[in-house]
C-alpha cells in the first residue's frame, strides 16, 4: 500500500482505525511523529522504512531495556533488521495502546521476551529477560547463584509440561492472573 | 526533575497495593449497602411513608415504659448540638434509619396473600450480608499459584520513559528478587544452626514474647477499665466532658494500638528473625492486638448490658428509654453507639494525624537545617500498618452492622475520604519505607486477615442473635424472646415439604459435611499461597 501524499487520506485513516485499536487522534499523532523520523527528502512518501537506530531515538523507547526486541518483533522487513514502516509503527502503537485486549498484549509480550525467536522461553531467554529487568551492567546484575535459583523457581512454577521451557499458553495463563500486567504494558505517544 | 517527582515514581511502585486494597474495601461496602438498602431500608422507608399498618403476632403493651423519645428538641438549638449529635450518634441520629431501634416489627400485608415480614427480612438480610462478604472476599482473590512468574513476567512498566525512573525501577526489581532469594538462604541457614545457638535464640524469643504479652494484657486491662468508667459516668451533663467520656474507649484502644506496636518494634531488634519473618511477626502481633482489643471492649459491654449475666439485678429489670441509666433497650443502642463512635474516631484520627503530625513534620524537615531533624526525615509510609488500620475499620463496621444497618454506607464515605487524604499525604509528606513488603503475596495475606476479622465479628453477632433478649420497646424483634426465634416462627408457616427440606438442610447430616467441605476449601487456598 503506497501513498505518495504526505497527508493521510480519509480512506486510509478510517481503514487504519478499523485495523488497529487506535483512535483517530492517536493515528494522526503517530503520523506526525513518524514523519519527524523520516529524512527530509523522503518526507513525501510513506513507503519508507525507518532504520532501527532512528526509531530508538524516540523518547518513549530511548531508555527502554526492551527497545531492540520491540523493533525486531514489529518489523516486517525481509532483512530482519528491525526497521519499521509506517504500518509496522501503527501495529506497535496499537498493541501498546489502552484499548488493546489482554490476549494481544500477552501474545506480543511473549514474542518480545523470546530473545532467540524460537517460539518458547527457554533458560537463555529467561536469563536475558532478568538481566533486562535488573539492568545489564555488572554491578546491577544478579549473581550467578541468584540467577540460577530464580530461573529454577520460574520454570518450576510455570512449566506445566516439564520440557524446560515456557510456551505461549503457559505464559498467557500466568499473565492472566496478574492484575498489573495490562496497565503496565502500555506506551502512549 | 524535582525530588517530589522522584518520590512519586518510587511510590507508585510500593503503595499501589494499599490503594488497591482500599478500593476493594470501598466496593465491598458499597455493594453491601445496596444489598441492605434493597431489602431493609427501602421497604421500611416505603412502609413508613405510606403509613401501612403492621400486624404483629403477639401483643405488646402499648403503654410500656418504653415510649419513644421525641428527637426534635424544642426551643433554640444551636449548630453545636447537631455536631455533637453526629459525633456521638445520639439525638436526631438515634431516631433515624441509622439505628436498629427505628425499625418496625410485625408483618405488612402487601397484595392479598403476600406479606412482607420485617423482622425476618432484617435478620435474613444481615446474615446474607455476612455471607456475601465472605464470598466476595474469597472469590475476588488473585490466587498466587505462580508467584515468581508473575513477579518476573509483569515486572516491567513500559510506560516509564525517563532514564532516571527506569534505573530506579531496575533497582527496585533487583531488590525484590534479592529479597526472595535471601529468604531461601535464611531457611537453609536456619536448618544448619547448632543446638546451643538454637537454645539461646529460643530462650531470648520466649522472654521477649512474655514482655510483649505483658504489654498487651496491660492494654486490655486499660480498655476494660475505660469502658466501665465510660458507661458509669455517662450521665455527666457537661457536653464536652460528656463527649470525652463517651469517646474514652476509642481513645484508649487507639492509644494501645499506637504504643504497643512501638514496643514490639523495639523488642524485634533482639529477636533475629529473617526479614519476611519479621514482617509477619509484627503483623501478627498488631492483628492480635487490634482484634483482641475489640473483643475486650465487647466483653466489657456485655458485662454491663446483662449485668454480668444476672437478669434479676435491679439495673436490668425495667425497660425504660431514659438514656444513661437503664440497660435493656438501651443495651443494644449503647453497643451500636460504641461501634459508630469507633468508626468516627478512626476517621478523625487519620485526618488529624495527617494534618497535625505529617504536614508539620515535613515543614520542619524542609525548613530547619539542624542535622538531627534532617536525620529524622520524612514520615515513612508503611504499607502493612496502613492496611491493618483499614481492616480494623472494616471489622468495626461488621460488628456494628446488625444494630446499625446504614454503617456500610457511612463506611464507604469514610474510606473515600481516607483515600484522598492518604493520597495527598503520600506525595507531600512521606518517603518510601526502607523495608518493602512484598506486594504480590501480601495481597492475599491481607485478604486472609480480613476474613479472620469477618469471622471474629460473627461471634458477637451470633451471640446476640441467639442469646440476648431483644429490647421490648423498639426494633423489629421487640415481641420475641430471642432474635433467632423469628426464623422458626416463619418457617412453621411454610408448606410442609418446604419445612422438611429446610429441616434437612439444618440437620447434622447436611450441615456438618458442608462445613467440613468449606474448611477444606479454605485450607487449600491458604496452602496454595503460603507454600
Amino acid at each position: 500500500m503506497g501513498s505518495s501524499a504526505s497527508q493521510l487520506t480519509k480512506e486510509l485513516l478510517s481503514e487504519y482505525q478499523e485495523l488497529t485499536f487506535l483512535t483517530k487522534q492517536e493515528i494522526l499523532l503517530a503520523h506526525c511523529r513518524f514523519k519527524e523520523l523520516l529524512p527530509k527528502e523522503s518526507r513525501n512518501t510513506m513507503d519508507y522504512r525507518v532504520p532501527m537506530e532512528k526509531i530508538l531515538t524516540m523518547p518513549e523507547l530511548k531508555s527502554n531495556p526492551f527497545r531492540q526486541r520491540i523493533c525486531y518483533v514489529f518489523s516486517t522487513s525481509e532483512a530482519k533488521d528491525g526497521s519499521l514502516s509506517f504500518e509496522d509503527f501503527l501495529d506497535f502503537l496499537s498493541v501498546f495502546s489502552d484499548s488493546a485486549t489482554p490476549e494481544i498484549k500477552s501474545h506480543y509480550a511473549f514474542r518480545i521476551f523470546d530473545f532467540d525467536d524460537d517460539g518458547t522461553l527457554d533458560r537463555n531467554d529467561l536469563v536475558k529477560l532478568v538481566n533486562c529487568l535488573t539492568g545489564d551492567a555488572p554491578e546491577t546484575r544478579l549473581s550467578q547463584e541468584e540467577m540460577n535459583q530464580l530461573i529454577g523457581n520460574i520454570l518450576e512454577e510455570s512449566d506445566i509440561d516439564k520440557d524446560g521451557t515456557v510456551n505461549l499458553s503457559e505464559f498467557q495463563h500466568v499473565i492472566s492472573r496478574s492484575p498489573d500486567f495490562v496497565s503496565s504494558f502500555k506506551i502512549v505517544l | 526533575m524535582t525530588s517530589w517527582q522522584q518520590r512519586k515514581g518510587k511510590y507508585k511502585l510500593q503503595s499501589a497495593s494499599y490503594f488497591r486494597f482500599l478500593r476493594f474495601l470501598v466496593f465491598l461496602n458499597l455493594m453491601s449497602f445496596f444489598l441492605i438498602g434493597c431489602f431493609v431500608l427501602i421497604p421500611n422507608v416505603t412502609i413508613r411513608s405510606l403509613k401501612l399498618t403492621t400486624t404483629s403476632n403477639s401483643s405488646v403493651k402499648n403503654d410500656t415504659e418504653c415510649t419513644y423519645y421525641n428527637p426534635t428538641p424544642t426551643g433554640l438549638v444551636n449548630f453545636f448540638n447537631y455536631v455533637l449529635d453526629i459525633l456521638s450518634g445520639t439525638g436526631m441520629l438515634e431516631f433515624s434509619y441509622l439505628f436498629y431501634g427505628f425499625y418496625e416489627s410485625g408483618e405488612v400485608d402487601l397484595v392479598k396473600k403476600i406479606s412482607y415480614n420485617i423482622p425476618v427480612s432484617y435478620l435474613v438480610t444481615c446474615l446474607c450480608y455476612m455471607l456475601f462478604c465472605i464470598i466476595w472476599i474469597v472469590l475476588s482473590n488473585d490466587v498466587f499459584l505462580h508467584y515468581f512468574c508473575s513477579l518476573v513476567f509483569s515486572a516491567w512498566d513500559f510506560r516509564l520513559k525517563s532514564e532516571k525512573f527506569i534505573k530506579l525501577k531496575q533497582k527496585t526489581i533487583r531488590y525484590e528478587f534479592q529479597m526472595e532469594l535471601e529468604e531461601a538462604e535464611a531457611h537453609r541457614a536456619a536448618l544448619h544452626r547448632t543446638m546451643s545457638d538454637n537454645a539461646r535464640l529460643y530462650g531470648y524469643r520466649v522472654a521477649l514474647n512474655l514482655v510483649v504479652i505483658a504489654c498487651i494484657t496491660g492494654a486490655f486491662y486499660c480498655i476494660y477499665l475505660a469502658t466501665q468508667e465510660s458507661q458509669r459516668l455517662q450521665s455527666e451533663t457537661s457536653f464536652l466532658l460528656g463527649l470525652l467520656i463517651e469517646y474514652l474507649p476509642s481513645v484508649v484502644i487507639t492509644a494501645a494500638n499506637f504504643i504497643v506496636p512501638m514496643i514490639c518494634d523495639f523488642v524485634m531488634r533482639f529477636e533475629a528473625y529473617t526479614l519476611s519473618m519479621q514482617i509477619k511477626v509484627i503483623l501478627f502481633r498488631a492483628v492480635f492486638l487490634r482484634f483482641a482489643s475489640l473483643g475486650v471492649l465487647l466483653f466489657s459491654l456485655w458485662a454491663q448490658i446483662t449485668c454480668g449475666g444476672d437478669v434479676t439485678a435491679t439495673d436490668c429489670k425495667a425497660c425504660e428509654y431514659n438514656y444513661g441509666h437503664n440497660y435493656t433497650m438501651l443495651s443494644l443502642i449503647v453497643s451500636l453507639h460504641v461501634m459508630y463512635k469507633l468508626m468516627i474516631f478512626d476517621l478523625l484520627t487519620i485526618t488529624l494525624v495527617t494534618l497535625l503530625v505529617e504536614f508539620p513534620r515535613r515543614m520542619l524537615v524542609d525548613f530547619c537545617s539542624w542535622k538531627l531533624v534532617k536525620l529524622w526525615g520524612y514520615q515513612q509510609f508503611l504499607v502493612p500498618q496502613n492496611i491493618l488500620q483499614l481492616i480494623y475499620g472494616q471489622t468495626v463496621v461488621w460488628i456494628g452492622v446488625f444494630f446499625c444497618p446504614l454503617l456500610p454506607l457511612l463506611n464507604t464515605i469514610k474510606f473515600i475520604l481516607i483515600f484522598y487524604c492518604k493520597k495527598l499525604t503520600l506525595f507531600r509528606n512521606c518517603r518510601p519505607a526502607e523495608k518493602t513488603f512484598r506486594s504480590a503475596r501480601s495481597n492475599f495475606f491481607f485478604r486472609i486477615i480480613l476474613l479472620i476479622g469477618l469471622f471474629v465479628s460473627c461471634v458477637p453477632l451470633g451471640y446476640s442473635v441467639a442469646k440476648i433478649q431483644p429490647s421490648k420497646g423498639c426494633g423489629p424483634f421487640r415481641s420475641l424472646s430471642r432474635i433467632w426465634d423469628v426464623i422458626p416462627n416463619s418457617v412453621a408457616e411454610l408448606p410442609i415439604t418446604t419445612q422438611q427440606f429446610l429441616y434437612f438442610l439444618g440437620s447434622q447430616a447436611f450441615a456438618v459435611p458442608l462445613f467440613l467441605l468449606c474448611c477444606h476449601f479454605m485450607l487449600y487456598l491458604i496452602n496454595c499461597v503460603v507454600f
Side-chain angles (χ1 to χ4, degrees):
Chain A
M1 163 157 325
S3 158
S4 57
S6 62
Q7 294 298 326
L8 276 182
T9 60
K10 267 206 176 123
E11 293 85 39
L12 266 183
L13 191 59
S14 56
E15 195 172 334
Y16 286 147
Q17 256 184 292
E18 261 181 73
L19 291 172
T20 66
F21 292 103
L22 300 169
T23 64
K24 196 162 88 163
Q25 286 84 359
E26 287 168 348
I27 298 176
L28 288 171
L29 181 58
H31 183 83
C32 250
R33 295 289 300 274
F34 193 75
K35 264 205 306 188
E36 284 164 25
L37 296 172
L38 295 171
K40 282 206 171 61
E41 55 279 6
S42 321
R43 289 250 164 111
N44 279 326
T45 71
M46 296 299 281
D47 278 352
Y48 192 78
R49 284 187 166 280
V50 176
M52 189 165 76
E53 302 75 41
K54 211 69 173 76
I55 300 270
L56 297 184
T57 60
M58 282 176 61
E60 288 84 0
L61 288 179
K62 202 162 52 161
S63 319
N64 191 320
F66 297 100
R67 55 190 181 274
Q68 280 108 350
R69 281 303 303 158
I70 289 176
C71 287
Y72 283 124
V73 164
F74 288 98
S75 163
T76 52
S77 84
E78 280 100 33
K80 301 259 181 269
D81 58 1
S83 58
L84 297 182
S85 67
F86 180 60
E87 274 159 24
D88 295 337
F89 189 65
L90 281 184
D91 256 341
F92 152 64
L93 289 175
S94 166
V95 167
F96 279 95
S97 73
D98 273 328
S99 10
T101 62
E103 291 75 32
I104 292 269
K105 285 186 190 272
S106 57
H107 178 94
Y108 276 91
F110 183 80
R111 285 183 61 189
I112 289 173
F113 294 157
D114 186 10
F115 284 81
D116 52 11
D117 270 325
D118 63 354
T120 59
L121 298 181
D122 59 12
R123 204 179 182 88
N124 294 327
D125 290 328
L126 291 173
V127 169
K128 291 205 189 100
L129 171 61
V130 173
N131 281 334
C132 280
L133 290 176
T134 61
D136 216 351
E139 64 270 8
T140 55
R141 273 187 227 137
L142 293 179
S143 73
Q144 191 58 32
E145 202 182 304
E146 288 168 340
M147 179 69 81
N148 288 337
Q149 241 187 320
L150 186 58
I151 306 282
N153 285 330
I154 294 174
L155 285 176
E156 204 181 298
E157 279 176 13
S158 61
D159 188 11
I160 298 174
D161 53 9
K162 300 283 173 248
D163 60 354
T165 65
V166 182
N167 63 30
L168 177 62
S169 50
E170 289 161 353
F171 181 82
Q172 282 183 317
H173 178 68
V174 167
I175 289 285
S176 64
R177 303 304 199 103
S178 181
D180 291 325
F181 174 71
V182 172
S183 49
S184 60
F185 199 75
K186 270 194 203 145
I187 295 180
V188 177
L189 290 178
Chain B
M1 182 129 357
T2 66
S3 60
W4 178 78
Q5 280 175 311
Q6 262 180 317
R7 283 209 298 281
K8 193 173 173 184
K10 203 164 182 186
Y11 271 122
K12 280 191 179 160
L13 312 173
Q14 291 178 6
S15 57
S17 56
Y18 172 77
F19 288 104
R20 206 183 309 136
F21 192 79
L22 189 47
R23 248 179 250 134
F24 166 75
L25 282 181
V26 167
F27 260 125
L28 180 69
N29 279 291
L30 205 57
M31 290 296 121
S32 328
F33 171 64
F34 283 142
L35 182 72
I36 291 181
C38 280
F39 291 105
V40 173
L41 188 64
I42 292 179
N44 276 287
V45 169
T46 3
I47 288 171
R48 218 171 247 272
S49 52
L50 295 179
K51 296 203 193 310
L52 295 172
T53 49
T54 61
T55 55
S56 50
N57 282 338
S58 59
S59 56
V60 178
K61 294 185 292 205
N62 276 337
D63 55 343
T64 62
E65 306 88 64
C66 317
T67 51
Y68 277 142
Y69 149 89
N70 188 353
T72 53
T74 52
L76 278 176
V77 172
N78 51 10
F79 180 68
F80 185 63
N81 281 345
Y82 280 128
V83 171
L84 277 184
D85 278 344
I86 291 181
L87 283 178
S88 56
T90 53
M92 65 172 189
L93 282 183
E94 212 149 62
F95 278 86
S96 65
Y97 288 102
L98 192 61
F99 289 149
Y100 148 103
F102 194 56
Y103 290 86
E104 300 282 335
S105 157
E107 293 183 37
V108 173
D109 288 319
L110 295 170
V111 187
K112 287 195 190 171
K113 283 198 184 167
I114 307 175
S115 65
Y116 184 78
N117 194 334
I118 298 178
V120 171
S121 74
Y122 192 93
L123 181 61
V124 170
T125 307
C126 194
L127 295 176
C128 284
Y129 163 67
M130 291 303 200
L131 204 63
F132 165 74
C133 284
I134 295 178
I135 295 177
W136 181 280
I137 293 176
V138 168
L139 287 185
S140 68
N141 249 315
D142 331 310
V143 177
F144 273 99
L145 296 172
H146 307 279
Y147 175 60
F148 271 102
C149 291
S150 295
L151 191 62
V152 172
F153 293 148
S154 40
W156 191 255
D157 189 347
F158 284 82
R159 293 167 294 188
L160 298 173
K161 287 191 216 177
S162 89
E163 191 163 340
K164 245 182 179 161
F165 277 164
I166 285 182
K167 288 222 181 320
L168 191 63
K169 175 74 173 170
Q170 285 177 326
K171 200 165 155 202
T172 312
I173 289 179
R174 192 169 71 248
Y175 179 71
E176 264 192 87
F177 289 172
Q178 283 171 335
M179 255 190 46
E180 290 298 319
L181 300 167
E182 185 212 297
E183 263 287 284
E185 187 56 49
H187 276 299
R188 249 179 289 136
L191 290 172
H192 290 136
R193 258 204 294 261
T194 64
M195 267 288 244
S196 58
D197 275 346
N198 258 340
R200 197 160 21 104
L201 189 63
Y202 284 130
Y204 277 157
R205 285 185 189 169
V206 166
L208 291 169
N209 271 307
L210 284 177
V211 168
V212 169
I213 289 176
C215 288
I216 293 184
T217 320
F220 288 166
Y221 186 63
C222 291
I223 294 173
Y224 181 74
L225 271 183
T227 322
Q228 302 281 47
E229 288 305 301
S230 162
Q231 301 291 49
R232 201 170 57 83
L233 296 173
Q234 278 227 329
S235 48
E236 293 292 305
T237 48
S238 150
F239 267 131
L240 223 47
L241 195 62
L243 198 66
L244 201 66
I245 289 177
E246 281 179 20
Y247 271 93
L248 197 59
S250 324
V251 170
V252 173
I253 289 185
T254 308
N257 282 324
F258 185 70
I259 294 176
V260 177
M262 276 171 57
I263 298 179
C264 290
D265 270 345
F266 179 70
V267 155
M268 182 66 71
R269 284 177 219 198
F270 304 107
E271 281 183 312
Y273 288 120
T274 63
L275 191 61
S276 66
M277 189 63 187
Q278 263 185 21
I279 292 177
K280 282 188 192 140
V281 170
I282 291 176
L283 275 184
F284 172 75
R285 285 177 179 156
V287 165
F288 177 69
L289 179 66
R290 279 191 189 264
F291 287 156
S293 44
L294 275 181
V296 168
L297 178 70
L298 289 173
F299 175 76
S300 37
L301 281 176
W302 172 83
Q304 296 250 298
I305 286 168
T306 52
C307 308
D310 181 9
V311 205
T312 55
T314 44
D315 276 347
C316 288
K317 267 197 185 152
C319 168
E320 184 151 332
Y321 193 68
N322 179 4
Y323 64 97
H325 296 300
N326 293 319
Y327 287 106
T328 33
M329 160 145 175
L330 209 53
S331 62
L332 306 167
I333 294 188
V334 159
S335 59
L336 57 84
H337 276 176
V338 172
M339 291 308 135
Y340 177 83
K341 276 177 227 171
L342 277 181
M343 191 193 81
I344 298 263
F345 192 70
D346 198 28
L347 176 64
L348 282 179
T349 322
I350 293 181
T351 36
L352 287 178
V353 163
T354 313
L355 281 176
L356 301 177
V357 173
E358 292 177 5
F359 268 108
R361 180 169 170 170
R362 184 195 111 177
M363 295 283 160
L364 202 61
V365 173
D366 274 345
F367 294 120
C368 178
S369 52
W370 293 350
K371 195 150 183 234
L372 212 60
V373 170
K374 291 284 183 206
L375 217 60
W376 186 38
Y378 290 150
Q379 179 87 18
Q380 285 191 41
F381 187 79
L382 299 164
V383 169
Q385 280 82 340
N386 277 293
I387 290 193
L388 265 190
Q389 194 158 32
L390 294 179
I391 295 180
Y392 167 75
Q394 185 63 50
T395 311
V396 163
V397 163
W398 278 326
I399 291 177
V401 78
F402 186 75
F403 296 110
C404 187
L406 292 187
L407 222 44
L409 175 66
L410 295 176
N411 210 29
T412 314
I413 299 173
K414 170 187 161 195
F415 278 158
I416 293 178
L417 287 174
I418 291 180
F419 184 89
Y420 287 112
C421 186
K422 284 287 176 186
K423 244 197 169 148
L424 192 68
T425 190
L426 193 65
F427 292 130
R428 302 263 168 208
N429 305 336
C430 298
R431 59 187 160 99
E434 266 141 36
K435 307 180 197 148
T436 51
F437 192 73
R438 294 178 298 175
S439 48
R441 201 180 291 205
S442 59
N443 226 2
F444 190 78
F445 180 66
F446 290 133
R447 302 274 173 96
I448 289 279
I449 299 185
L450 195 62
L451 264 185
I452 293 176
L454 182 54
F455 289 139
V456 160
S457 49
C458 281
V459 171
L461 173 67
Y463 184 78
S464 27
V465 162
K467 287 273 187 149
I468 296 187
Q469 182 180 45
S471 52
K472 292 194 171 51
C474 54
F477 305 101
R478 61 191 86 166
S479 52
L480 303 160
S481 59
R482 290 185 319 161
I483 296 178
W484 180 253
D485 283 344
V486 81
I487 301 272
N489 288 348
S490 37
V491 163
E493 291 169 22
L494 292 171
I496 296 284
T497 34
T498 330
Q499 275 191 47
Q500 284 178 338
F501 180 65
L502 286 173
Y503 280 134
F504 169 69
L505 283 185
S507 69
Q508 279 171 330
F510 184 79
V512 169
L514 182 68
F515 178 68
L516 288 176
L517 198 68
C518 288
C519 286
H520 189 78
F521 182 64
M522 291 285 204
L523 284 174
Y524 168 73
L525 277 181
I526 297 176
N527 209 25
C528 283
V529 167
V530 170
F531 296 114

